[in-house]
Amino acid sequence: MKGFKITQLVVTGAAVGPASLLFSSGLNLVTGPSDTGKTYAFQCIDYILGSSTLPKVFTENKGYDTIFLEIQSTFDEVKSVFSRSLNEKKDTLYYKGVSYENKDTVQPIILLSQSDKKKPNISTELLEAFGFNLPIKVRINSGGTKNDFSFRNLSPFTLIKEDTMIQERSPIYTGGSYTDRTLKSHVFKFLVTGNDDSELEEKDKRTIFKAKKTGSLEVLEELCKKEHKNLLDAEQKKVSLPPYLNDVNDIFIDIQTKIEKLNREIINLEKEQNDSKNNIKYNYDLQYKFELLMEQYVTDIERLRFIDEGTFLFNQLRPIKCPYCGELLVNNIEEHRHKRTFVDTAQVLQACEYEINKIKENIEELSEASTTVSEIIQNLSEENLRRSDVINTKKNEIEEFLKPKLETLNIEFQSKLEYERIEMDILIIKERKAELQKMITEANNKKNTEHPNEAQKIIANINNSRLVSIFSANLKTVLFDENDIVDVLFFLNDNKEIDYKINNKNRGSYGKGYRSLIVSIFYASMVLFCEEKDLPYSSFIVLDSPINAFKDTKNRELLSNSTKNKFFNFLYEHFENKQVIIFENDTINMDDELYNKVNITPFTRNNTGRYGFFPHYTNK
């Protein structure tokens, strides 16, 4: 679940030591007797999260002027800090991405207390942190007027005060007057369905409701005439639209598929063609090397023949005198100390012929290889020409046939959409006209019926949702025996408000103590339901004294340690990765195993342990 948990609450002042509370994931209990600052801590959390009500002032908090609330994202565990003045209702400061200890290392962002779409505000920051996709519209009256959903609409389901848990009025309508019933029911509807009232029509609905309520026949008839004219205009517009193919969608998709297929084929062909061109270039380079080698072979043959001829000519030279002694050079070394050497012409001729024949063999092989390369070049070139023809054919098919047809179909597609839109408009206008005609008949018969109750529609949706089964199972876990059947049913009570019955007994009929526990389980079930349905919601809830109500009941209700342990076990097991903070006056007696797992901060109001929230509390 997207959101954050509260990790630290700190209240500071220039001349006093800071008062702080640390919180962790899962179940947190701050316990102790009255007048130790628990309710004040609850009020501080509520105030810094946008409440307009300052925390109460008393002797012990004198000198404190600023609240800090450190939070930690459940997504990436990054900490941030909110800060707000206690002396006056100033805007909130937001130290993003740092802990309380490091807050002075960043420049705070000013979050306005009032919603402003153009500037950062506390409500938007909180709702977006919980995963709400803004803007969200909720209905505030029977006429259809809408307001922006804010965190203060969510806070009664997250920050639950003690009087809220024990009241007989439905917990869905906390924190407001009876004039807010429409707003509260539509906030509840949005939270459990994820559907807001953005599409709700406002102007006509409000006028129709007013006319219906006052029985103004003249206004109803005028509205009916207006709808009749709207119907004629829509039908005329429908007739004037050009015809379109019924299967235009399928044809449109089919052509798009063909274009995509041809484009893929063209890409593959062009890749093959590019590879072929590289291959041709490689073979041309090879052929050029063959030509150079051929020239070298011819040169070698000429050189060898020149050697053969030179040898013959050398042997034809006359004997000459020795340049040293002046005698004729002779063949016999014994006859003259200077020997004239004669080259063996036959031997040289044989060697040259051998080399020439060997080179000729190489020339023959080279000629064959050159011919093969030429054939490869010719085949690749011809294949490229054929491939170019195929590519051009496919491109022409796309540009000259498929794309123009696609453009034509797009016009028909738009025409079909317009036709369907007008048909929907006609259907809506007919429904409005039928409703107005019914209202006219009722007015003529002097029947003054009530406006359709949206709450009944919400109740029907809730009773068919998983919220009922989750709530029932959690009630059974805490307050009923294993074999008991727990049946929860939402209904519209005598005050025209959404409420629920448990085993056919109205929630308000239970005593204060059990009402408190039931409501606590209800709010916890809301969190679990929204988490299961992946709906945006608060990742934490804060409960102010859910068990304390058992101390002050006319019927002397008693809460057994067994039930108390089941309640805390339920919260511990289901909120391990979320957060529950409970401020409780009652002494907490729970199983040792669970006690060691829960984050408990006991206030004592005596000299043993921590006296209360403020460090300078003294025993009175």
Side-chain angles (χ1 to χ4, degrees):
M1 173 178 280
K2 190 175 182 181
F4 60 82
K5 64 181 180 181
I6 298 171
T7 51
Q8 188 173 186
L9 171 68
V10 184
V11 185
T12 65
V16 290
S20 64
L21 281 173
L22 299 178
F23 304 102
S24 63
S25 296
L27 179 57
N28 297 263
L29 295 177
V30 181
T31 67
S34 299
D35 198 26
T36 53
K38 299 185 307 299
T39 299
Y40 180 79
F42 178 95
Q43 292 172 348
C44 285
I45 295 174
D46 190 21
Y47 176 67
I48 203 168
L49 294 181
S51 172
S52 59
T53 304
L54 283 164
K56 64 182 180 180
V57 178
F58 49 93
T59 302
E60 285 77 10
N61 65 3
K62 184 178 180 181
Y64 289 91
D65 54 23
T66 308
I67 304 173
F68 295 94
L69 188 71
E70 181 186 79
I71 63 171
Q72 184 176 37
S73 169
T74 57
F75 173 70
D76 54 15
E77 297 187 350
V78 172
K79 290 184 177 181
S80 297
V81 178
F82 295 109
S83 172
R84 196 174 182 188
S85 171
L86 280 167
N87 294 332
E88 50 186 325
K89 298 178 183 179
K90 291 182 177 179
D91 297 322
T92 302
L93 297 181
Y94 182 38
Y95 301 85
K96 190 172 183 178
V98 295
S99 63
Y100 169 74
E101 290 76 14
N102 297 322
K103 65 184 183 304
D104 294 331
T105 62
V106 298
Q107 183 68 27
I109 302 169
I110 298 176
L111 300 179
L112 303 182
S113 299
Q114 300 298 321
S115 179
D116 188 331
K117 295 179 181 179
K118 297 181 180 180
K119 297 180 180 179
N121 61 81
I122 182 68
S123 177
T124 298
E125 193 68 38
L126 293 171
L127 291 178
E128 289 181 346
F130 290 133
F132 288 92
N133 188 16
L134 304 177
I136 297 166
K137 298 291 184 180
V138 287
R139 184 172 176 172
I140 65 171
N141 58 36
S142 300
T145 304
K146 295 170 287 186
N147 273 358
D148 286 327
F149 177 78
S150 73
F151 179 74
R152 299 318 298 175
N153 297 132
L154 175 65
S155 62
F157 295 86
T158 299
L159 305 166
I160 299 97
K161 301 176 182 178
E162 182 177 8
D163 57 353
T164 296
M165 288 185 279
I166 63 175
Q167 69 179 7
E168 293 186 8
R169 189 182 183 189
S170 169
I172 296 168
Y173 299 83
T174 59
S177 64
Y178 282 97
T179 59
D180 293 333
R181 282 183 298 198
T182 300
L183 170 63
K184 295 292 184 179
S185 61
H186 279 259
V187 166
F188 179 61
K189 178 207 73 172
F190 164 66
L191 292 175
V192 296
T193 65
N195 300 320
D196 71 345
D197 299 322
S198 296
E199 302 300 322
L200 176 69
E201 292 186 13
E202 186 172 322
K203 184 177 180 181
D204 288 345
K205 289 290 183 180
R206 189 166 61 246
T207 307
I208 291 172
F209 176 66
K210 183 178 179 181
K212 187 173 181 179
K213 188 174 182 180
T214 59
S216 176
L217 185 60
E218 181 180 350
V219 174
L220 289 171
E221 289 175 343
E222 187 63 31
L223 289 171
C224 194
K225 288 179 183 179
K226 178 182 176 182
E227 293 298 345
H228 182 69
K229 182 179 182 304
N230 291 339
L231 181 60
L232 293 177
D233 291 344
E235 289 176 340
Q236 181 62 36
K237 188 182 294 184
K238 177 182 174 182
V239 173
S240 65
L241 287 175
Y244 62 86
L245 296 172
N246 288 327
D247 57 348
V248 63
N249 292 359
D250 295 336
I251 298 174
F252 191 87
I253 294 171
D254 183 57
I255 291 177
Q256 280 186 320
T257 303
K258 286 181 179 178
I259 291 175
E260 290 173 0
K261 181 182 177 183
L262 286 171
N263 280 326
R264 286 195 300 270
E265 292 174 354
I266 289 171
I267 290 172
N268 290 333
L269 286 169
E270 288 177 340
K271 183 179 181 301
E272 291 174 3
Q273 191 173 43
N274 188 56
D275 292 342
S276 181
K277 287 179 179 179
N278 290 334
N279 200 357
I280 290 172
K281 183 179 180 302
Y282 168 77
N283 281 281
Y284 269 125
D285 292 340
L286 189 61
Q287 193 175 51
Y288 175 71
K289 292 177 181 179
F290 285 175
E291 290 173 356
L292 293 177
L293 186 57
M294 182 67 78
E295 291 177 1
Q296 184 64 45
Y297 283 160
V298 171
T299 301
D300 288 345
I301 290 174
E302 291 176 351
R303 177 176 53 80
L304 289 168
R305 284 177 177 167
F306 175 78
I307 291 171
D308 180 32
E309 185 178 351
T311 303
F312 173 76
L313 293 174
F314 181 76
N315 284 335
Q316 300 302 316
L317 293 174
R318 306 185 279 111
I320 60 174
K321 291 181 179 182
C322 176
Y324 295 101
C325 65
E327 295 179 1
L328 290 174
L329 295 173
V330 293
N331 291 333
N332 191 346
I333 193 169
E334 295 177 354
E335 296 178 4
H336 196 278
R337 60 181 176 271
H338 300 291
K339 181 181 179 182
R340 175 190 175 191
T341 303
F342 286 85
V343 178
D344 187 347
T345 305
Q347 187 178 2
V348 171
L349 177 61
Q350 184 181 359
C352 288
E353 286 298 326
Y354 176 80
E355 288 297 325
I356 288 171
N357 289 334
K358 187 176 180 181
I359 292 172
K360 284 181 178 180
E361 289 176 2
N362 290 341
I363 288 174
E364 187 177 349
E365 291 177 359
L366 185 61
S367 297
E368 291 176 358
S370 181
T371 302
T372 302
V373 169
S374 297
E375 290 174 354
I376 291 173
I377 292 173
Q378 183 178 356
N379 291 336
L380 288 173
S381 299
E382 291 174 355
E383 186 180 352
N384 256 7
L385 286 174
R386 289 193 297 271
R387 194 179 286 114
S388 294
D389 291 339
V390 175
I391 290 172
N392 291 333
T393 300
K394 291 181 182 294
K395 286 183 176 179
N396 288 338
E397 184 179 359
I398 292 174
E399 296 298 329
E400 297 179 8
F401 176 70
L402 293 177
K403 281 190 175 180
K405 191 168 184 180
L406 196 63
E407 292 174 0
T408 303
L409 284 172
N410 187 47
I411 295 173
E412 292 196 11
F413 183 70
Q414 296 301 324
S415 178
K416 181 181 180 182
L417 290 178
E418 179 66 11
Y419 185 88
E420 291 173 348
R421 186 189 66 77
I422 293 174
E423 277 193 327
M424 182 59 67
D425 288 345
I426 289 173
L427 180 64
I428 293 172
I429 292 170
K430 284 181 177 180
E431 290 177 352
R432 289 177 182 167
K433 186 178 176 184
E435 183 182 356
L436 286 166
Q437 287 174 336
K438 180 181 177 182
M439 292 162 63
I440 290 171
T441 301
E442 292 173 351
N444 281 326
N445 294 330
K446 297 182 180 180
K447 293 180 180 180
N448 189 17
T449 59
E450 292 183 358
H451 188 69
N453 198 325
E454 291 293 329
Q456 294 288 6
K457 298 178 183 178
I458 298 172
I459 289 170
N461 288 331
I462 300 305
N463 282 328
N464 291 323
S465 73
R466 272 278 295 159
L467 176 60
V468 171
S469 55
I470 291 174
F471 186 26
S472 300
N474 294 336
L475 284 171
K476 182 175 181 177
T477 297
V478 177
L479 298 177
F480 293 86
D481 293 331
E482 183 178 352
N483 296 325
D484 289 344
I485 296 175
V486 181
D487 183 24
V488 172
L489 180 69
F490 285 81
F491 72 106
L492 195 66
N493 63 24
D494 293 339
N495 292 322
K496 306 298 181 185
E497 293 182 345
I498 302 171
D499 208 336
Y500 49 85
K501 300 178 181 180
I502 304 171
N503 291 341
N504 210 32
K505 180 178 179 179
N506 290 359
R507 178 202 54 79
S509 300
Y510 285 85
K512 283 199 304 184
Y514 280 103
R515 282 203 302 271
S516 178
L517 277 188
I518 290 169
V519 167
S520 299
I521 297 168
F522 169 70
Y523 287 125
S525 299
M526 285 278 292
V527 177
L528 301 176
F529 168 77
C530 290
E531 180 182 36
E532 179 181 303
K533 294 297 181 182
D534 198 23
L535 294 170
Y537 202 79
S538 171
S539 52
F540 68 87
I541 55 175
V542 184
L543 304 173
D544 186 11
S545 306
I547 295 175
N548 187 58
F550 280 92
K551 287 185 176 181
D552 182 25
T553 57
K554 294 180 180 179
N555 297 328
R556 297 186 178 277
E557 292 177 301
L558 296 175
L559 181 64
S560 66
N561 284 334
S562 172
T563 301
K564 191 185 304 183
N565 272 307
K566 286 195 290 184
F567 175 64
F568 289 128
N569 263 304
F570 156 69
L571 293 176
Y572 171 77
E573 291 174 1
H574 288 81
F575 282 78
E576 185 175 1
N577 297 322
K578 297 174 281 297
Q579 187 179 52
V580 180
I581 298 174
I582 296 179
F583 295 96
E584 184 55 67
N585 287 340
D586 190 36
T587 301
I588 302 301
N589 297 317
M590 63 172 66
D591 296 337
D592 291 341
E593 181 180 355
L594 179 60
Y595 188 91
N596 293 327
K597 295 177 181 178
V598 176
N599 179 29
I600 300 180
T601 304
F603 294 164
T604 62
R605 205 168 67 179
N606 58 47
N607 294 326
T608 302
R610 179 170 176 171
Y611 184 92
F613 181 58
F614 293 100
H616 59 278
Y617 260 117
T618 56
N619 194 8
K620 298 182 181 180

